[in-house]
Amino acid sequence: MSKVMVVTSGKGGVGKTTSAAALGAALAQTGQNVVLVDFDVGLRNLDLVLGAERRVVFDLVNVVQGDARLPQALIRDKRLETLHLLPASQTRDKDALTPEGVEQVIGELRERFDWVVCDSPAGIERGATLAMRHADLAVVVTNPEVSSVRDSDRIIGMLDSKTRRAEEGEVMEKHLLLTRYDVARADRGEMMKVEDVLEILAIPLLAVVAESRDVLSASNVGCPVTLHNPQSAVARAYDAAARRLMGESPPMSEVLPKRGLLSRLFGRRTAA
Amino acid sequence: MRLQALTSPRGIQVRGRSLMALVLTPEPPLAAWIAELDAHLASAGALEARPVIVDLSRAGDEGRELTLILLEGLEARGLRIVGVERTTPALVAGTVWERMAEPLPGRNLAPAAAPAPPPRPQSLARLVEGPVRSGQTLVFETGDVTVVGAIASGAEVVAGGSIHVYGALRGRAIAGLQAQAEARIFCTRLEAEMVGVGRHYRTAEHWGPGLQGRPVQVWLDRGTLRLSRLDRT
């Protein structure tokens, strides 16, 4: 059964595209057939993070408007044959997407792939609402700072009201992906702690991804961080997140590089 | 020619007036019917000013004594009985209603006068389970709002009565749109951006750090908004 997953946040720059690419690649590595759909029409980035920018011919807008067929626009990843990209258009804007067109494309993608991962644009307007519209589950990417948390809260409210699932009275599955987390700074009180964010957003935690240089170096070479340096803490966090999305339950201790979540919850102090 | 006959040479003026009478048809059991009528009068009160014709086609079967009690009961409720219809003369003979027991002219309208079911009582409380998210607005003008969960930063809850928050109040809460003096805000943790009762409000910078994060109530004290901790009396 295929699943449509939206990676969203409200706020920009928190790591939606990085996370969509990393989660998509991690899911694809397990043998699942995955397509990454870039909904950020006008500001497309996912092609760069996947290193596919020189292979884009047709895009989501072409398919939505009927100028190209879906197979013409899909780009297969060169490293992972189960990973595909449906790029966004850089020259158009979000108004080029129609609700009916998006619905049809998502329907077609559902038939071809196990996972349809929609990379949402920032904001709460048309692009973001269309990206979440047909999702079965949502990954809410949040940084440990107040503005990001509040924007995520807003997005969660929209996931619970504006999506097809919500309108049909079904439950929208939501997961928190806390990115750019710095244990030392959180311990010093310079950053919100995992518990604080969880307490405010009140949705289950998918993974905590530490702040790391690996992220930038991976996207600069056009490779999802899970493929670029699989042994890094960041890659392991995304791997664990992907396995949780597939229904497994790897221990959370992998997620926090320096201190386990359990010891944090019990309040044991360790040298940071 | 008829007009001339009606207008006497001395100039007595006769004017026509049409008015709407309401026709009530009491049905047995009469006690239950009277109770329903009372409920209707209490909620609508629409019958009082209008002349009333009592249709005894159903109630007459109950016998003379009960019929007279019924008619007296209607008069006692302030209904202006102008006619008693579809009855036998014997039923009301020798009473003030005897002369009213003549059919009145006029035609019946659609049963608008039929006692309408009493309106459903308006809901006085609203319960929200789970957090109120940033960007959401909950307005409930007719009563109290209870939130089991947090009100997020950037969320807004407005109530006609009081607001009860079993969780952190981080957004805005405005109580007392209707009942200013009676309305309060209660929360188990005050981290709000703004609280208000009626037209009086206060933003977070206007209350001290002593209240932040504490269980707090907000109320109006002779036109002044007050906040106080609930865990310290």
Side-chain angles (χ1 to χ4, degrees):
Chain A
M1 210 190 72
S2 71
K3 283 206 167 181
V4 178
M5 174 169 92
V6 62
V7 181
T8 186
S9 70
K11 193 171 168 62
V14 296
K16 279 184 301 298
T17 301
T18 301
S19 298
L23 287 173
L27 287 166
Q29 275 184 311
T30 68
Q32 300 270 303
N33 218 3
V34 178
V35 62
L36 292 164
V37 187
D38 192 348
F39 269 87
D40 205 348
V41 177
L43 293 169
R44 77 170 190 224
N45 287 155
L46 199 50
D47 55 330
L48 289 168
V49 174
L50 287 173
E53 71 276 12
R54 282 180 293 181
R55 300 167 62 203
V56 176
V57 182
F58 295 111
D59 54 54
L60 177 63
V61 172
N62 296 136
V63 180
V64 163
Q65 298 191 335
D67 298 330
R69 287 179 303 108
L70 184 59
Q72 293 177 293
L74 287 173
I75 301 169
R76 183 193 292 252
D77 189 80
K78 284 188 169 170
R79 296 149 295 211
L80 263 174
E81 63 170 18
T82 47
L83 183 63
H84 302 75
L85 169 70
L86 180 55
S89 166
Q90 183 72 0
T91 54
R92 310 293 296 271
D93 60 40
K94 273 112 187 151
D95 293 335
L97 296 176
T98 61
E100 302 77 26
V102 169
E103 182 172 8
Q104 193 183 340
V105 172
I106 296 286
E108 279 184 59
L109 291 170
R110 264 185 202 276
E111 286 169 23
R112 290 166 181 264
F113 296 97
D114 302 315
W115 287 89
V116 180
V117 181
C118 303
D119 181 23
S120 170
I124 54 171
E125 287 81 22
R126 190 183 183 87
T129 50
L130 283 176
M132 69 169 67
R133 176 80 194 150
H134 300 281
D136 302 314
L137 71 155
V139 171
V140 180
V141 183
T142 306
N143 288 170
E145 49 115 4
V146 284
S147 57
S148 172
V149 171
R150 187 163 75 180
D151 290 359
S152 291
D153 195 57
R154 177 93 214 252
I155 280 290
I156 294 169
M158 294 178 70
L159 287 167
D160 284 335
S161 60
K162 298 264 165 74
T163 54
R164 181 188 50 80
R165 264 190 174 244
E167 284 171 9
E168 288 173 5
E170 290 176 62
V171 179
M172 183 82 187
E173 203 183 307
K174 299 170 290 284
H175 301 276
L176 175 67
L177 187 66
L178 194 58
T179 55
R180 310 198 67 167
Y181 193 72
D182 186 325
V183 179
R185 296 192 65 186
D187 279 349
R188 288 199 298 268
E190 298 169 7
M191 196 179 252
M192 289 177 80
K193 295 186 173 175
V194 183
E195 303 91 292
D196 301 338
V197 180
L198 280 173
E199 209 253 300
I200 291 176
L201 294 181
I203 58 172
L205 180 64
L206 183 65
V208 179
V209 181
E211 171 82 33
S212 164
R213 293 157 179 265
D214 294 328
V215 173
L216 188 59
S217 50
S219 56
N220 277 339
V221 297
C223 184
V225 64
T226 28
L227 298 181
H228 184 62
N229 185 359
Q231 292 315 307
S232 65
V234 175
R236 281 189 284 121
Y238 279 117
D239 264 325
R243 281 193 281 147
R244 286 185 195 106
L245 288 172
M246 291 176 64
E248 296 172 36
S249 38
M252 271 288 172
S253 57
E254 287 186 24
V255 165
L256 283 173
K258 288 176 185 164
R259 282 169 59 187
L261 187 68
L262 278 180
S263 68
R264 295 180 58 82
L265 290 178
F266 285 116
R268 232 177 283 150
R269 304 290 302 175
T270 53
Chain B
M1 301 307 109
R2 274 182 77 194
L3 268 179
Q4 277 178 349
L6 285 172
T7 318
S8 76
R10 290 176 61 195
I12 293 174
Q13 299 225 332
V14 178
R15 284 179 297 167
R17 171 185 289 183
S18 77
L19 45 81
M20 203 195 302
L22 301 175
V23 182
L24 287 179
T25 311
E27 291 179 29
L30 291 176
W33 187 87
I34 285 283
E36 238 177 89
L37 178 75
D38 282 340
H40 182 83
L41 289 177
S43 64
L47 300 182
E48 282 170 35
R50 296 269 176 87
V52 171
I53 297 167
V54 186
D55 177 345
L56 289 174
S57 57
R58 305 283 310 274
D61 301 343
E62 301 286 291
R64 179 182 157 95
E65 196 180 345
L66 276 179
T67 304
L68 295 181
I69 290 175
L70 169 72
L71 292 171
E72 274 163 18
L74 292 178
E75 283 221 312
R77 281 164 179 77
L79 301 186
R80 293 167 60 184
I81 300 178
V82 298
V84 180
E85 286 190 343
R86 298 174 75 177
T87 174
T88 54
L91 211 56
V92 289
T95 69
V96 288
W97 294 290
E98 186 175 15
R99 61 185 174 79
M100 295 184 190
E102 298 281 323
L104 287 166
R107 60 193 164 84
N108 286 326
L109 297 179
R120 213 173 285 166
Q122 216 160 19
S123 169
L124 296 175
R126 178 167 294 175
L127 176 73
V128 181
E129 280 186 276
V132 181
R133 300 284 183 184
S134 184
Q136 290 177 338
T137 304
L138 170 66
V139 181
F140 183 65
E141 287 187 26
T142 54
D144 291 8
V145 173
T146 307
V147 179
V148 185
I151 296 175
S153 163
E156 200 169 55
V157 173
V158 181
S162 296
I163 299 176
H164 309 259
V165 189
Y166 295 92
L169 170 54
R170 300 193 177 98
R172 294 179 167 193
I174 314 288
L177 286 194
Q178 309 276 354
Q180 295 206 11
E182 293 290 312
R184 294 187 179 190
I185 299 170
F186 305 90
C187 61
T188 48
R189 218 159 86 217
L190 181 76
E191 294 172 17
E193 291 156 352
M194 191 177 108
V195 292
V197 178
R199 290 192 207 137
H200 304 263
Y201 65 88
R202 218 178 273 183
T203 52
E205 62 177 357
H206 292 109
W207 61 75
L211 296 171
Q212 196 72 9
R214 314 302 315 185
V216 164
Q217 64 169 329
V218 184
W219 81 99
L220 267 188
D221 181 11
R222 281 160 292 178
T224 309
L225 196 71
R226 294 198 186 279
L227 289 84
S228 70
R229 280 173 64 165
L230 285 165
D231 56 347
R232 191 186 284 168
T233 47

